[in-house]
Amino acid sequence: MDRRKFVAGLGALAGGSALATGTGAFSSVEAGRNLSVSVADDSNAYLGIEALDDEYIDATDGTLDIALTEANATDEGGEGINANAVTGISDLFKITNQGSQNVDVFAQPLTFIQADIDSGVESIAVFLTPQDPDYNFLFDVIPIEPTTIPGSIAYKNVDPGNELRFGLTAFAAPDTATGTVEINNSISITAEPNAEENP
Amino acid sequence: MKRRSFVIGLGTVAAGSAAAVGTGAFTSVTAARDVDVSVADDASGYLGLSADGEYVTDDSGSGQVGLNLGGTDAADRTDGGEAFNRQATTTVEDVVTVEHQGSGTSNEVAVSFDGSQSTTFQLKTSSDGTEAEVTLDFGTDTTSSPLTPGESVGIDVTVDTDADVTDPVETADVTILGSTDDVGGGGGGGG
Amino acid sequence: MSDAPTVNDYEEAAEKELDIKQEDRDAINTTLEQVFNGGSNE
Amino acid sequence: MERRKFVVGLGALASGSAAAMGTGAFSSVEADRTISVEVADDSNAYLRLQGAGGVNSDYVTSDGTDGVLEINLDSGNDSIAGDGDGVNPDAITKIDDLFVVENQGTQEVEITLNKSGDNDGLATFYIDDYSTTLDGTDLTAGASETISLEIDTEGSGLTGGDEILDSVTFNADEV
């Protein structure tokens, strides 16, 4: 895989690329629909949601929450992503169709951004990253109701038993981003019977 | 809004076959850091080499200290002095000063001629071919005891035009080493 | 061969233009590709 | 296809019991999971970068405990005890034990470097006594190396003010 030499001048990442033109995070889930779900046990609910790496996942309250934080440090003491850097974590969690029907699975939002409004310099962007499932899916990055939910990943026609793996790609710039910006948000994962398969 | 969609893979896998479970999370980090390193002239390098007086040349502005122990003609020498006397041994003290300009307030650096306390080589003048044996050392009073930052030691030069010389050269390189390795107790090297 | 999502795809999905320099986009896209491929099988 | 999205009261699923439409059939499940990501100082981040302290700490202008690691061997660094402004021309300069790299992630990674600067080829980072380079070194989770820097200007023709290095990108990628 051709690995592009990606830093040209002095700390291209340090150049203080402010990420969002908007004011603060815009990717919050529509408040009205923010139903919090506590499924008895994520792993054997119909929509199985399981950590693949428990060090980046905080599963203490029975639900699987992604926490790249000081409070959820890795065994080796890692407390968060580096500033002025891109961090990729794959095999973070997986979603398994543990129901009896083919379903369409949606995960949104995909992009989480926070920019320090006053300095307009520090910023963090986190991209929910789908991983290449080993079977044939129509996998859409589509907007849902463009005005409210800014886009989602849609997996069509997921057979019972099949699973979808997710990772994260995070970018924080510049070097003063430490402790200035962070993401505290939520991902909404939805599954519905596939219309064609379940007339 | 144009819809982007990707079709992943071809062919289908029988329903219910578990996908290969990942080997746990992979962390990839790509972090750019400022690491600024520049060259300084000998005079302001971490191993400070400075000198003044007519024996010193700053050859071709390369910022490197050079010794010229006899101009092509005596007139080059600022004080109009003669060249070194023939059949004589002349010592000039502190032609070059070596100063520890590196890091670490208590960081002792030992100065040497690539590990030894003196170095000798044989030169001949380019003008009339006069030959001489030249010795550089730290003189009698200033053995090169380790230097802490800011301290310096002088290099003396002795030119013996009486010595029998086998195959002299017109110019010779002198290696000056500043190292903490040669100081008891090791520690960081300051250049 | 499937292709990994790029920063541009996320922008389209979010219908927002992200003010990220090209070299940083390249770096993020490289990592997106690695994560998409599950890390090792680049 | 006009996309409709609907959510059914989810309480019924709390105990994993079948929804009204028979076992395993449900009309929709929506699960919200929190995601929090923080940016840590280099000394605490997944790829830990921290000044090693010791006699050469003057060259480390920011040791990573408050922000990012920064190293400075030029006239811009005025905290060098001997007031030097850079490496000597036509010399080999070795700076022992400058900083530490540690893998605080959860997977073994290989470290590779992208150096940039007018003469970045003259600077080499080593993990031990100047025999094994940092570039290409593997670090298992929790493993660390103390890094030394060698700059070789011998015969380079470089003089005072010439730049050797201005930034280094540390890559840690799964092995």
Side-chain angles (χ1 to χ4, degrees):
Chain A
M1 181 200 71
D2 152 47
R3 183 150 172 69
R4 280 174 295 283
K5 170 165 171 24
F6 85 98
V7 174
L10 167 66
L13 290 173
S17 52
L19 279 181
T21 48
T23 53
F26 65 89
S27 53
S28 59
V29 174
E30 183 62 39
R33 299 180 40 265
N34 190 356
L35 301 176
S36 84
V37 174
S38 69
V39 179
D41 171 355
D42 260 356
S43 54
N44 51 36
Y46 295 128
L47 188 63
I49 305 174
E50 285 169 275
L52 286 171
D53 184 324
D54 51 21
E55 288 189 54
Y56 297 117
I57 302 287
D58 173 6
T60 44
D61 58 4
T63 61
L64 170 142
D65 296 319
I66 298 167
L68 275 60
T69 61
E70 182 179 359
N72 183 46
T74 64
D75 298 349
E76 306 303 344
E79 294 176 359
I81 63 174
N82 288 80
N84 208 29
V86 183
T87 301
I89 299 178
S90 70
D91 293 332
L92 196 55
F93 67 94
K94 67 174 180 177
I95 298 176
T96 312
N97 174 6
Q98 294 175 154
S100 60
Q101 322 154 82
N102 284 33
V103 292
D104 295 344
V105 178
F106 304 92
Q108 76 260 343
L110 312 180
T111 311
F112 304 84
I113 301 251
Q114 200 203 36
D116 185 282
I117 306 152
D118 353 336
S119 74
V121 173
E122 290 82 5
S123 49
I124 180 171
V126 174
F127 304 100
L128 180 64
T129 310
Q131 288 184 223
D132 182 4
D134 300 334
Y135 21 78
N136 182 4
F137 276 118
L138 180 59
F139 147 56
D140 276 356
V141 179
I142 56 173
I144 291 182
E145 298 143 354
T147 50
T148 52
I149 302 178
S152 81
I153 295 175
Y155 290 81
K156 292 290 185 336
N157 197 2
V158 179
D159 295 337
N162 280 353
E163 58 180 42
L164 311 168
R165 287 183 295 148
F166 287 90
L168 269 190
T169 302
F171 166 70
D175 44 18
T176 50
T178 314
T180 322
V181 285
E182 61 184 48
I183 297 294
N184 282 302
N185 218 301
S186 65
I187 295 176
S188 168
I189 300 163
T190 310
E192 297 164 1
N194 179 281
E196 295 80 23
E197 294 299 318
N198 314 283
Chain B
M1 205 290 299
K2 188 167 75 59
R3 252 171 71 137
R4 292 295 309 270
S5 68
F6 313 81
V7 177
I8 306 273
L10 296 176
T12 55
V13 171
S17 65
V21 177
T23 56
F26 123 82
T27 309
S28 132
V29 177
T30 302
R33 291 297 172 265
D34 287 346
V35 179
D36 301 311
V37 179
S38 298
V39 181
D41 285 342
D42 264 342
S44 53
Y46 295 131
L47 187 64
L49 302 178
S50 61
D52 46 34
E54 69 274 26
Y55 295 102
V56 171
T57 60
D58 172 3
D59 40 8
S60 67
S62 70
Q64 293 174 41
V65 167
L67 282 180
N68 181 337
L69 299 173
T72 42
D73 55 56
D76 283 346
R77 308 256 296 281
T78 50
D79 60 6
E82 301 307 317
F84 285 92
N85 299 71
R86 295 181 189 285
Q87 279 82 38
T89 302
T90 317
T91 297
V92 183
E93 289 186 348
D94 297 341
V95 284
V96 174
T97 304
V98 183
E99 182 174 345
H100 176 3
Q101 300 185 138
S103 106
T105 39
S106 59
N107 176 24
E108 287 188 336
V109 161
V111 180
S112 66
F113 297 98
D114 211 4
S116 53
Q117 289 303 301
S118 71
T119 180
T120 301
F121 40 89
Q122 303 182 329
L123 292 179
K124 66 174 186 286
T125 63
S126 52
S127 57
D128 59 7
T130 314
E131 294 171 346
E133 186 175 86
V134 176
T135 303
L136 293 173
D137 57 32
F138 298 106
T140 50
D141 57 345
T142 57
T143 58
S144 80
S145 54
L147 310 175
T148 55
E151 289 181 336
S152 61
V153 63
I155 293 180
D156 299 354
V157 62
T158 301
V159 177
D160 177 355
T161 52
D162 202 15
D164 46 24
V165 162
T166 46
D167 74 69
V169 292
E170 284 194 3
T171 60
D173 279 341
V174 177
T175 298
I176 299 176
L177 171 65
S179 165
T180 54
D181 298 345
D182 308 335
V183 175
Chain C
M1 178 36 197
S2 57
D3 51 359
T6 64
V7 173
N8 184 265
D9 298 321
Y10 285 94
E11 286 175 309
E12 277 188 29
E15 294 179 343
K16 275 264 193 243
E17 184 63 37
L18 303 181
D19 174 16
I20 305 180
K21 287 198 289 291
Q22 189 51 47
E23 313 101 293
D24 297 339
R25 279 172 187 269
D26 294 342
I28 299 169
N29 288 338
T30 300
T31 301
L32 280 168
E33 199 174 337
Q34 279 178 294
V35 174
F36 182 73
N37 290 319
S40 44
N41 48 6
E42 271 164 73
Chain D
M1 178 198 78
E2 193 265 321
R3 229 191 92 52
R4 268 181 313 95
K5 188 152 149 30
F6 49 89
V7 173
V8 174
L10 301 169
L13 296 174
S15 59
S17 60
M21 286 77 73
T23 56
F26 55 84
S27 68
S28 170
V29 171
E30 177 182 343
D32 280 4
R33 293 297 172 272
T34 64
I35 170 171
S36 37
V37 180
E38 290 167 1
V39 186
D41 293 316
D42 267 0
S43 55
N44 295 321
Y46 296 132
L47 179 65
R48 173 169 167 256
L49 298 169
Q50 187 168 340
V55 290
N56 287 322
S57 52
D58 292 3
Y59 300 118
V60 180
T61 44
S62 162
D63 71 359
T65 54
D66 178 16
V68 298
L69 176 77
E70 189 183 281
I71 292 169
N72 197 310
L73 277 80
D74 70 11
S75 52
N77 181 353
D78 44 29
S79 61
I80 293 179
D83 298 330
D85 285 340
V87 297
N88 289 71
D90 207 15
I92 296 177
T93 304
K94 294 182 176 180
I95 314 270
D96 294 2
D97 304 343
L98 205 48
F99 62 96
V100 175
V101 180
E102 180 179 356
N103 174 3
Q104 297 198 126
T106 61
Q107 285 296 313
E108 180 174 359
V109 290
E110 180 193 26
I111 303 292
T112 54
L113 303 181
N114 300 103
K115 296 178 291 184
S116 83
D118 295 349
N119 298 281
D120 55 60
L122 303 184
T124 310
F125 293 89
Y126 290 94
I127 62 171
D128 52 18
D129 209 1
Y130 300 100
S131 54
T132 313
T133 64
L134 171 58
D135 196 338
T137 289
D138 284 2
L139 290 178
T140 55
S144 71
E145 293 289 355
T146 301
I147 309 304
S148 299
L149 171 62
E150 178 188 85
I151 302 113
D152 183 349
T153 58
E154 277 205 322
S156 68
L158 295 178
T159 60
D162 289 339
E163 175 191 274
I164 303 273
L165 203 55
D166 90 84
S167 93
V168 173
T169 296
F170 296 88
N171 304 301
D173 295 302
E174 178 170 13
V175 172

